[in-house]
Amino acid sequence: MAKRIPLLFAVLFLFLLQPVEAFPSSALDITVKPSKIGQGELGLLSIQKTGGAKRKVIWMGKKITLLYDKKNEVLAGFIGADLTTRPGRYKLQISLKNDLHSIIISVLSRDHGIRRLTLPKEMVELDPPTLKRVLEESRRMKELFISSAEYLFWKGSWIRPVPGTVISPFGCRCIINGMERSPHSGVDLKASQGTPVKATNSGIVVLVADHFFSGLSVVIDHGGGIQSMYFHLSQVLVRVGELLEKGTIIGLSGSSGRVTGPHLHFGIRLNGGRVDPLKLIEISRRLER
Ligand SMILES: [Zn+2]
């Protein structure tokens, strides 16, 4: 028994030496950049294309749809972690024919900061009919996030809907009139009243509505579990069911809904998870345009 212990330690030591983000994987060339994902962030997954064999990628129990990227000659897709995903090590599973490859990806804790807002009482303390309306609008949005098209409408890199700078970052904890509310699920970009708002990528319009909190809103489904959101518009120029090319002007910015001034709230959902839209734009620059 005593002789076995050093061997056990040696094995354990070798195991600990293995990098957490063990890639490239043996037979398949698989990379995830960045190799560690913060809460509310995402990584670009690239798999070397080897013939026409089907690959199935599963991340946090959900399927990741891949797209062929001509520029890098790889199959590419995004994996993300919701704002509230528990930090830890998660398995990314890739099956190719009968082979199952898995990579461990770390999700790291992120502090996205705090924002404090003071709003009129009637915008915070909702009367029963308003509360009913808000719950119904929230239910409708949640349904959209779980019903993305299988077909990928998005192509290559993602673009900024308006050129303006960040006025309120993604993910910050929200303290309204001294009470903690849901964290900021998107990024607020500077946009004066009437600024043209572009579709961040190609997709199909799945919602045009006037909601209590988000005001005049547009949601685009890009397929494969990715949706983009544009809130507080002053005018909408697209219709539900319309297929849009990346860069199409979907409306004009404004200050509708619960806001303190005109800006564009821009959000991205990836398989239902709230991820930083600007990170998506940043990491997608590696893809063809
Ligand atoms: Zn916002």
Side-chain angles (χ1 to χ4, degrees):
M1 190 67 194
K3 275 184 183 171
R4 280 189 194 165
I5 292 169
L7 180 68
L8 185 68
F9 273 114
V11 169
L12 192 65
F13 182 64
L14 283 172
F15 174 77
L16 289 172
L17 277 181
Q18 291 298 310
V20 170
E21 56 291 347
F23 61 82
S25 171
S26 55
L28 274 180
D29 189 1
I30 304 164
T31 59
V32 176
K33 283 180 187 169
S35 59
K36 291 185 175 113
I37 301 172
Q39 289 169 316
E41 295 176 2
L42 63 184
L44 176 64
L45 167 69
S46 307
I47 305 178
Q48 178 196 13
K49 191 167 161 58
T50 46
K54 279 249 174 198
R55 283 157 195 79
K56 194 176 174 196
V57 180
I58 302 290
W59 168 247
M60 295 199 182
K62 304 240 173 78
K63 192 178 147 193
I64 303 296
T65 317
L66 304 170
L67 177 100
Y68 182 61
D69 177 50
K70 272 188 228 149
K71 184 178 147 194
N72 303 296
E73 298 179 337
V74 292
L75 290 163
F78 300 103
I79 60 166
D82 181 72
L83 265 174
T84 53
T85 297
R86 187 191 289 266
R89 289 150 58 94
Y90 293 84
K91 208 182 258 181
L92 173 70
Q93 290 185 309
I94 299 133
S95 57
L96 170 66
K97 288 179 187 167
N98 298 324
D99 295 335
L100 186 67
H101 304 259
S102 62
I103 300 175
I104 302 295
I105 304 283
S106 293
V107 172
L108 311 174
S109 167
R110 281 278 183 273
D111 179 2
H112 294 281
I114 287 185
R115 78 170 168 171
R116 289 174 202 278
L117 289 173
T118 305
L119 290 171
K121 220 174 142 189
E122 61 275 15
M123 289 302 266
V124 184
E125 290 162 28
L126 310 179
D127 56 42
T130 311
L131 184 64
K132 199 177 162 215
R133 177 187 164 187
V134 164
L135 291 174
E136 174 56 24
E137 289 167 356
S138 150
R139 187 194 59 77
R140 217 171 140 199
M141 291 296 274
K142 276 182 192 144
E143 261 173 28
L144 289 180
F145 302 142
I146 54 167
S147 53
S148 178
E150 184 88 3
Y151 181 81
L152 296 188
F153 296 107
W154 70 270
K155 301 186 263 294
S157 58
W158 296 64
I159 62 165
R160 238 177 144 94
V162 291
T165 51
V166 174
I167 51 172
S168 179
F170 166 82
C172 51
R173 287 168 55 206
C174 210
I175 316 284
I176 300 177
N177 298 356
M179 289 267 286
E180 180 140 14
R181 306 278 168 167
S182 308
H184 195 210
S185 61
V187 60
D188 289 348
L189 300 173
K190 196 172 177 182
S192 55
Q193 188 83 16
T195 305
V197 176
K198 292 176 182 170
T200 180
N201 210 320
S202 302
I204 192 156
V205 179
V206 288
L207 180 110
V208 171
D210 190 1
H211 285 174
F212 179 79
F213 286 130
S214 55
L216 214 46
S217 310
V218 171
V219 178
I220 302 174
D221 178 22
H222 302 283
I226 312 180
Q227 290 101 353
S228 60
M229 278 151 279
Y230 313 82
F231 293 167
H232 315 306
L233 302 172
S234 58
Q235 205 182 331
V236 173
L237 303 169
V238 289
R239 272 187 272 174
V240 169
E242 208 174 319
L243 191 59
L244 307 175
E245 279 296 314
K246 177 176 4 187
T248 304
I249 295 173
I250 58 147
L252 305 176
S253 66
S255 56
S256 55
R258 190 179 72 178
V259 288
T260 49
H263 68 271
L264 177 73
H265 171 105
F266 171 42
I268 290 284
R269 291 281 179 145
L270 173 55
N271 277 330
R274 297 159 294 182
V275 293
D276 186 346
L278 299 183
K279 290 265 185 219
L280 172 66
I281 292 173
E282 187 189 313
I283 65 165
S284 74
R285 285 200 191 111
R286 295 194 182 98
L287 300 172
E288 60 186 301
R289 294 179 73 187

